[in-house]
Each structure stands twice: as structure tokens, then as C-alpha cells.
Amino acid sequence: MKRLHSIALIAAAIPLLSATALAQNAPPPDDADVEIPAEPAPPPPVSPRPAPPSSAAPEARPAPPAQAAPPAQAAPPTQAAPLPPSAPPTQAAQAAPAAKTEVEVLREELRATQRRLEALETRAVETPRTTAQAAQVPGKATQVPGKAEEPVVRPFLERLLVPGAFRLSAYVQAQYESHQDSEDQVLQGGALLNQDRFLVRRGRLRLDAAWQYTELGLELDGSTTRGPIFGVRRAEASLLLREEGWDGKPRLRGVRGEAVPRAMLTFGLSEIPFGFELVDSARERVFMERSTASLAFFPGEPDVGVRLAGGLGFFRYALAVLNGEPVDDRPSSPARDPNGAKDLVARLGADARATEALRVSGGVSALHGTGFHAGQDATKGAVQWRDLNENSAVDPGEVTALPGSAATPSQNFTRWAVGLDAQIRLRTPIGEAMLYGEAGIAQNLDRGLFVADPIASGVEVRHFFYYGAFVQEITRFGLAGFRVDHYNPNADFLDPRGGKLVPTAQGITTLSPVAGLVLPGRARLLFQYDAILDALTRDARGVPADLKNDRWTLRLQVEL
């Protein structure tokens, strides 16, 4: 009888023990703690089967109907559960389905536990992968679920070889311009005088690449201003020390951005760090061209050399050693530096936010360089005939001998400039307003308008210049502005009048209102009128007078 009860208990406990063993042997994931009961739940009570009749027992008598046994309670693991009294076969058969139902419930719980373990294992595999991807961005903090955010600190070589980031940008400025002094004529030598035309002022494509300690910039430019041309406008190779928390993206170029590296050493074809307007990007500039003085001093914006620039807090600095021959698209511009002396350009300034809506910046710039006066070739003796009486015949006294001349050597001369610039930006309810200007003096620096050559003229030429501009955004979709600039190419100019030399101002003043429509980040349609006040012509009395040379320009700029 006891043996039969033991066999029944073992048969009911085998499925439970196997299920518990499977749950305990399942490996938990590395990053999660899973608790599994150390002891299985006690098996449900099993009704004992009736004892078989014994041969030694007396003859069985009809017994009264047996009552159902009360449910057995779970016993401690160290003690055997007491055997309940015998029950009829019909009640044992009814208890078996109940035991199977309890086993099925435990199996369902085991399946749910296995599904939870699989989900935890999947998350344990994906979490290190996400952490590794976030760690590829230098300076970016990595956050693991369930843990506090901590900065990623990697070895120097790993930060040095981190993958770089690239940005491709482009813009096209197509326009129509009309000049008051345009003529359908040709100058002596074949130069055209017509200036009423359509043209592509700039079509530029730029590639920027950035790594932790290096940057690369390459910009190509196409234009039809002086005929179809296409060439390199920027070619920069830089080493730099960045601020903490670099986002892994190429920084925005130009002086309008606030973030600058602590130190940046650049070799190649790059901008000249003099003042504000010269280094301001033509893509961001609202007015069609730079001021008159800037165009005269620097016919082209970039030059070849080396530049050290950066900032600490609000302080800004830039120091450059350049060839001294700005690269532009004029046919007469030199293809290479004509002398061994280099130009030294420096700018010291500040850039800070007084409030969240007000930003103030400015600086002092200086330039010291060496100009070049080309010598002349040697000439041979020659004979010259002048038809004085215009009879188309050689008469006595009309033939003259011209002696030859020796070659003259080339000479260098000194040039310099000093400038002061300031900018104020204010965020208003209708958009950002910007007031900025620049002023300064220079000597022998005009290389584009009235070329200064003290070797040829015999006197030093001094220049004076200033400009002021205001631009107001009208919501995000419009803008308006006004600029006044003045340039005196020769502050010591003397005009001969009646046999006397009279001091005369040669200043050129330009008033430029501008207005336009803006599609943020995509396009701008601008109209600008330039009223030019100068003394470049003479009236009937021979007195300098204003030349009628006003112009207007309609430009469409689309950018990528």
C-alpha cells in the first residue's frame, strides 16, 4: 500500500521537477538579474488508490460509502507529506484532471519566463551596439539605459583617427545690371563699353571636411563677369584645436558664426583677415558687392599664404603672412607673386552677447606689405617721322632720331593700412537687425581702381575710407537695407586750375538702398540701386563734376 502511494507521488512530481530544472538552467543575460524560485511549488495532492484485497484478510463486508478526503496541505520539503486515507476509484479519477490542470499552469508560467529571458538577451546584445555607435561621435556623451550619462573619454590616437564629417554646399548668383554710363562703343584697344547685360556673378561649389584636429576646404567658382571663367576660389588645409564638446560636424565659415576654435593654423588659398567686409561670405552678404574702398584695396578676396586664427571666450585674433597679390579674375592680375617680400595682416577683436537678443563685435586691423614697380626693357635707337603739314610726303624737319634707352630695374615700395570695424546685431519682433561699419586710412594700397605707384608718380599716395550699413529682416521672408560708403583715393590730390595747383577732393560716395524677398535657406531675390556721387568728369569750365554713372542690379540667388 505504501509503495503504491510513493509511485503515485513520484509520477506527479516528475513534470514539475523537469520544468523547474529547465528554468534554473536557462542562462540569464549579462545585464539583467532574473530570479527563479529555488524550490518548485509543492505538487497538488494525489488521492490514493484503494488497497487490493489481501488473502489473509477476512471476508470483506459491505462498507458504508466513504467520504471525500479533505485536500492535503503542503508539507515542508524535509518532511514527507502524510498519506490521506483511502478513497474510492471514482474520486481518484476525478483528482487526476485537476493535477494535470496545475501542471499546465506551471508550464505556461515557464513559457512566459522563457520569453522574458529571450527579450532580455536581445536587449543585452543591442545595448552595446548602440553605445558603440554613439561613441563614434567625438566629444559626445554616451548614455546606457538605466545608467547616468557620462562623457566618453577615448585615447588620443583613437580621437585622432575618428572618422570625419563632410558637407557639400553650393550657390548661384545670376543677375541683370544696368549702368548709366553704358555705351554701345569700343575703347581704344578693343574694350567694350556696354554694361547693360545678364551675367552669372558667382557660381560656387564648396566641399568641407572635418576631423578632430584637421579640416579641409575646397571651393570652385564660375563667373561670366569678364568672360566665362572657372577656377579655384578656396583651397585650405588646417590644423586646429577645438573647443570642448565638438558635435562632429564641419563648422560654419565666415565671421557671422559665433563658435570658433581655440587655435587654427591654415595653409593655402584663404581669405585675408582685414576688417569685417572682406572676410564676410558673399553668400551671406546682402549688398551686391563690397564697398568701393574694399574693391580698390583688395580686387580679390583670397590670397595664398598661412594664417593663424582663433578665439578664447569673447576674444578673437587672426594673423596671416600672405603673398600680397589677391587672387581675382582680372586678365591683368599677376599669375604669381612678383617679389620675395610678404604682406603681414593682423586683426584683434572681440565678439560677445550682451543679452540673449543683443550681440556686439568689432576689431582693429592692420596691414604692412611691399608693392612692386616693374622695370622697363632696354630699347634700340629708332627713326620717327611726323607728317607736320599732313601732305603725306617726307619734308625736311619731319624726321627725328630717337636714341635707345637702357633697361630700368624693378623696384619695391612700402604700403600699409589700418582699419577699425564694429557690428551690432539685435533680435527684434520682426526679425534680426544689423548695424555695422568700418573706417580707416592707407598708403599706396590701391590695386584695383586708381592704382597707386609712388615710383612712377614720385609721391606717396594716401587713401581714406569709411562705410556704414544697416540691414533689417522683415519677418523670415523679407529684408531691407541701406549702405553709404566713401572712398578718397588720393587725400593729397592737387588739381591744376588757371596755372595753379588747387587741393581737390577726389572722394567717391555711393548710396545703396536694397530690398528683397527671402525663402529661408533656399533663395533670395534682391534689388539694389547705387547712386554714385564723384568728381570724375569736368564741366564746360573745366571744373571737376559728377559723372553720370549710377547703376541698378536685380539678382536671384539660389543655394544648396
Side-chain angles (χ1 to χ4, degrees), residues 191-445:
L192 299 175
L193 293 179
N194 174 49
Q195 300 183 69
D196 298 338
R197 55 177 178 161
F198 291 96
L199 70 149
V200 176
R201 182 62 185 90
R202 298 176 183 90
R204 297 185 178 178
L205 177 66
R206 184 180 182 98
L207 172 66
D208 289 292
W211 295 267
Q212 180 67 33
Y213 298 103
T214 57
E215 280 191 358
L216 176 146
L218 179 63
E219 185 175 28
L220 304 178
D221 180 33
S223 172
T224 63
T225 304
R226 296 179 176 89
I229 62 169
F230 192 82
V232 178
R233 198 67 176 180
R234 295 284 193 282
E236 304 169 333
S238 304
L239 298 174
L240 69 164
L241 179 62
R242 301 184 185 275
E243 290 283 352
E244 296 294 337
W246 178 49
D247 59 0
K249 299 179 181 179
R251 65 184 184 89
L252 297 177
R253 300 302 180 99
V255 293
R256 296 179 182 261
E258 297 186 59
V260 296
R262 295 176 180 175
M264 181 174 180
L265 183 65
T266 301
F267 285 82
L269 181 62
S270 184
E271 62 266 9
I272 304 170
F274 187 93
F276 172 80
E277 191 179 31
L278 186 60
V279 295
D280 191 18
S281 171
R283 178 175 183 166
E284 303 294 335
R285 187 190 309 126
V286 174
F287 297 94
M288 302 296 171
E289 303 296 337
R290 292 180 280 126
S291 62
T292 306
S294 182
L295 292 172
F297 296 161
F298 307 98
E301 298 169 357
D303 198 356
V304 182
V306 57
R307 183 184 75 249
L308 177 65
L312 296 173
F314 64 87
F315 177 68
R316 300 289 184 268
Y317 67 92
L319 177 65
V321 180
L322 308 170
N323 283 340
E325 297 295 334
V327 178
D328 66 341
D329 54 3
R330 294 177 303 164
S332 59
S333 61
R336 53 184 298 180
D337 189 8
N339 55 24
K342 305 305 172 188
D343 286 9
L344 180 64
V345 186
R347 182 180 184 271
L348 301 178
D351 189 346
R353 282 195 174 273
T355 64
E356 185 65 23
L358 178 62
R359 178 184 172 191
V360 181
S361 59
V364 178
S365 304
L367 180 149
H368 185 276
T370 302
F372 181 77
H373 170 78
Q376 295 181 352
D377 297 335
T379 61
K380 297 181 179 180
V383 176
Q384 182 183 31
W385 170 56
R386 294 184 301 168
D387 191 5
L388 299 178
N389 55 10
E390 298 182 356
N391 62 354
S392 301
V394 179
D395 296 327
E398 295 182 345
V399 178
T400 305
L402 299 177
S405 61
T408 58
S410 300
Q411 300 182 51
N412 294 331
F413 58 89
T414 301
R415 58 193 180 198
W416 55 266
V418 177
L420 175 67
D421 64 271
Q423 305 84 40
I424 299 176
R425 301 173 181 86
L426 178 63
R427 192 179 306 159
T428 66
I430 62 173
E432 185 180 73
M434 182 175 180
L435 177 66
Y436 62 101
E438 191 170 351
I441 57 175
Q443 179 173 293
N444 302 328
L445 192 58

Side-chain angles (χ1 to χ4, degrees), residues 472-494:
Q472 173 67 61
E473 292 181 350
I474 305 174
T475 71
R476 300 174 55 211
F477 305 101
L479 59 84
F482 183 81
R483 182 181 69 183
V484 53
D485 76 82
H486 177 81
Y487 173 54
N488 190 342
N490 189 353
D492 301 320
F493 179 72
L494 299 176

